[in-house]
Amino acid sequence: MQLRIDKYLADMGIGTRSEVKQYIRKKQVQVNGNIPKPEQKVDPDKDCILFQGKEIGYVQQEYFMLYKPGDCVSATTDATHKTVLDYIEEKSRKDLFPVGRLDIDTEGLLLITNDGKLAHELLSPKKHVAKTYYAKVEGKVTKEDVVLFSQGIDIGEKALTKPAQLHIIASNEISEIELTITEGKYHQVKRMFEAVGKKVVYLKRIAMGPLVLDEKLMPGEYRRLTNEELKELLHESHLDTI
Ligand code: URA
């Protein structure tokens, strides 16, 4: 793969394309020891790129697991709230985004990447990627709810929700449950419980496809995916066979 030196450096967050062009004009960039033109093509695998004397490697794709805390939005920018990207400090790419959305008050597993193909596959309604949530719910969750959820719930959409697996951990005034759904309708978990007369008071995503929230992470913490996790995700999305 070859790309223009100005794009290479802009992708790595050195500056905007026009800022990078300025740096090049000011001879602050070298390619294999020579001063390039902005349109010069470079090969990230072979060429040595220096900016202000420091070598800048090229990272094509990045993948992070974030334990999203409450009170931040699943967006790339926001005028009033912290975004999930604000938590990812050691990033090379500036084109990262969250794969799907969690409500502002929902916590838990969020994949952050710049891999658009993977995101598309994981979010495609046709792929039915499983998402598992842990929730605290006001009211006693019952075996009847388990049956109703397995049959699909009317949450005011054209069709019932797809069969969902509800597991009761504790059935009390405040119940604790785990729920696995294969869709991603707006406020889906909250609306499913509302439809059976109950209120979700705490919601945390613990798994998405093969990816499981790392128990060592605290809210607001993140880490890069392991090679194994990435392999499994690409496999689930059939992107390892393309
Ligand atoms: N369902 C919800 O209601 N909220 C979320 O954030 C995710 C699933």
Side-chain angles (χ1 to χ4, degrees):
M1 179 198 65
Q2 292 218 329
L3 75 166
R4 285 172 57 130
I5 181 64
D6 55 350
K7 174 157 169 48
Y8 181 111
L9 290 170
D11 282 352
M12 290 304 95
I14 298 302
T16 61
R17 285 287 271 273
S18 53
E19 283 166 349
V20 167
K21 281 180 190 153
Q22 290 289 336
Y23 296 138
I24 293 173
R25 259 180 232 119
K26 288 183 189 155
K27 302 190 181 1
Q28 293 180 2
V29 175
Q30 289 180 32
V31 177
N32 303 327
N34 301 313
I35 305 294
K37 294 220 162 66
E39 61 275 14
Q40 178 172 329
K41 295 250 171 98
V42 294
D43 182 337
D45 292 332
K46 293 192 190 131
D47 294 324
C48 174
I49 316 297
L50 302 188
F51 171 60
Q52 297 178 342
K54 192 169 149 238
E55 184 164 1
I56 308 294
Y58 193 72
V59 180
Q60 184 123 20
Q61 269 148 353
E62 289 189 294
Y63 304 88
F64 298 96
M65 168 190 296
L66 170 70
Y67 186 158
K68 177 195 174 296
D71 206 26
C72 78
V73 291
S74 304
T76 51
T77 56
D78 192 87
T80 48
H81 292 94
K82 229 173 149 159
T83 75
V84 288
L85 290 189
D86 292 330
Y87 290 91
I88 313 291
E89 287 167 355
E90 297 141 46
K91 52 185 171 239
S92 298
R93 303 284 320 194
K94 56 175 175 33
D95 50 357
L96 296 174
F97 59 87
V99 178
R101 283 169 180 272
L102 293 176
D103 298 337
I104 188 161
D105 57 345
T106 300
E107 298 186 355
L109 175 65
L110 201 55
L111 173 62
I112 310 272
T113 183
N114 62 324
D115 185 338
K117 262 194 195 157
L118 176 64
H120 179 78
E121 294 298 317
L122 290 173
L123 297 176
S124 162
K126 287 188 208 127
K127 293 284 155 76
H128 310 299
V129 172
K131 281 144 292 217
T132 301
Y133 294 85
Y134 164 85
K136 288 187 183 165
V137 179
E138 228 168 54
K140 274 191 180 230
V141 177
T142 62
K143 282 188 196 141
E144 288 71 45
D145 295 328
V146 174
V147 174
L148 287 172
F149 276 38
S150 74
Q151 292 167 344
I153 299 278
D154 181 0
I155 57 169
E157 302 271 334
K158 273 189 217 133
L160 298 183
T161 58
K162 296 239 151 45
Q165 239 183 307
L166 175 58
H167 168 68
I168 302 173
I169 300 169
S171 177
N172 289 309
E173 266 168 48
I174 302 280
S175 299
E176 285 180 68
I177 63 93
E178 275 182 19
L179 178 65
T180 301
I181 58 176
T182 56
E183 305 160 283
K185 300 238 154 59
Y186 183 63
H187 291 334
Q188 181 159 344
V189 175
K190 293 171 185 166
R191 287 162 70 199
M192 288 174 79
F193 278 101
E194 261 165 38
V196 294
K198 283 150 203 150
K199 185 171 189 292
V200 171
V201 291
Y202 173 78
L203 188 58
K204 171 180 168 184
R205 182 155 68 191
I206 52 178
M208 181 175 184
L211 202 58
V212 177
L213 181 63
D214 187 332
E215 284 178 3
K216 290 192 217 83
L217 293 178
M218 302 293 285
E221 291 185 342
Y222 70 94
R223 66 160 170 79
R224 288 181 190 273
L225 293 197
T226 62
N227 286 340
E228 198 52 42
E229 286 169 335
L230 182 57
K231 243 201 258 167
E232 283 177 22
L233 266 184
L234 295 174
H235 183 68
E236 167 104 6
S237 320
H238 303 292
L239 287 173
D240 57 348
T241 52
I242 296 174

